[in-house]
Amino acid sequence: MTIKESFELAKKDYEKWGIQVDHVLEKLQQIPISIHCWQGDDVGGFEVNKSELSGGIDVTGNYPGKARTPEELRNDLEKALTLIPGKHRINLHAIYAETNGEVIDRDELQPEHFANWVKWAKEHDLGLDFNPTLFSHEKAADGLTLSHPDPAIREFWINHCIASRKIGEYFGKELGSTTLTNIWIPDGYKDIPSDRLTPRIRLKESLDKIFAEEIDEQYNLDAVESKLFGIGSESYVVGSHEFYLGYALKNNKLCLLDTGHYHPTEMVSNKISSMLLYSDKLALHVSRPVRWDSDHVVTLDDELKEIALEIVRNDALDKVMIGLDFFDASINRVAAWTIGTRNMIKSLLYGLLMPNDYLKQLQEEGNYTERLALLEEFKTYPFGAIWDYYCEQMGVPVKETWLDVVKEYEKEVLLNR
Ligand SMILES: C[C@H](O)[C@H](O)[C@@H](O)C(=O)CO
Ligand SMILES: [Mn+2]
């Protein structure tokens, strides 16, 4: 049976529920995923005076062939994009600046240092998102940045974030699509603090200085990313969820939820609807924590499907900015991007192919039997046949055939690095 024939059969199952599959596929095409560049080189970046990865995050594995230069990283991203259906965005960090061998410290970064990325994004019809990098730097060595007791260190990082917002604005203007500039800081303490408030007062003051200049939101939106703990900040992080949720609400910024930044039983899917009641938009870093914020490649698990369902059933596709955040150096890095991004898109398709209005009605009527029955039965509806057809229509490999492409690329390119 051909892909199309399977699709036509599967379509009938969904149309019985009033689900317009063709409209679903049109909608799916419109959803951009922000794909993080840092999976391609283990969060290394291209700084002339490169520092070791720090900030309480870690990359494990030594799979051969990681990108060493901007050209190699862009080539690897291009290869992954040929395997992922739809039009997407690339999420950059400040450490991916290209300074022609000149040592430019982070507080002096300029839009021109990302001109090659903008040229490339234009050539490939991509959006760009951005992040100041407040780790892997000597001024972050003691694990404090925007909340540091030393005003000079705080000022350095404030200036870096101010410069980063201007770069985000540059991306937005050049590419005609709003850039999300997201701030995450590693600040925290390994052991029990004697004062949780003072660092948070300093962080708030630093953020107020960073955001003092208004930037047109059609070009740049600001997000702040919370965390529960990191390596070396197990007992306390300054930028907790409560801190940033409050800051974002009071200052009309986006609160960014990273799915690895909560207690293992705390689900980001359960937070989305509450936050959308009080915020116009929110942002996600979709990751997969295994035991801790391990940044595993995203798999099509229940929580991913639940996140997608929350976005779809709450009509929030234009309110939730979906980014990915994982870095696995134990597998082929192009495969990691492909698996994680295809799974994110699959989960959105899964959510769009649910009789969401009817399920809401069942809940309103207190018919929890049918609600549970249908939620479970739809897990084995022929969703895969729809996905295969979508991939075929979007000109990307169907099922696991993308793996042949990655194997060929690994043999021809990656293993020769
Ligand atoms: C590289 C990213 O800024 C980093 O992963 C951050 O988003 C995070 O989630 C840290 O745990
Ligand atoms: Mn993150």
Side-chain angles (χ1 to χ4, degrees), residues 38 57 91 93 131 182 184 225-227 256-261 284-287 293 295 323-327:
W38 52 91
I57 56 179
N91 200 357
H93 245 282
N131 303 263
N182 169 54
W184 170 71
E225 179 181 3
S226 67
K227 188 159 184 175
L256 186 142
L257 309 171
D258 183 305
T259 54
H261 290 186
L284 298 178
H285 272 183
V286 181
S287 188
D293 181 24
D295 293 300
L324 302 174
D325 187 13
F326 49 81
F327 24 100

Side-chain angles (χ1 to χ4, degrees), residues 128-147:
L128 290 178
D129 293 314
F130 199 57
N131 303 263
T133 308
L134 289 95
F135 52 86
S136 305
H137 189 283
E138 60 180 359
K139 289 193 169 67
D142 53 8
L144 299 170
T145 62
L146 292 175
S147 71

Side-chain angles (χ1 to χ4, degrees), residues 248-292:
L249 282 173
K250 273 185 84 80
N251 296 278
N252 194 27
K253 299 299 177 187
L254 276 73
C255 191
L256 186 142
L257 309 171
D258 183 305
T259 54
H261 290 186
Y262 299 89
H263 294 285
T265 56
E266 203 181 347
M267 297 296 127
V268 162
S269 57
N270 207 28
K271 299 176 187 295
I272 292 171
S273 57
S274 299
M275 292 179 68
L276 285 174
L277 272 178
Y278 304 105
S279 315
D280 295 338
K281 284 181 179 295
L282 65 86
L284 298 178
H285 272 183
V286 181
S287 188
R288 178 165 55 103
V290 177
R291 310 263 186 259
W292 76 293

Side-chain angles (χ1 to χ4, degrees), residues 204-215:
K204 180 184 177 300
E205 288 167 353
S206 295
L207 290 170
D208 289 347
K209 289 178 183 163
I210 291 164
F211 296 131
E213 181 188 342
E214 292 291 325
I215 294 182

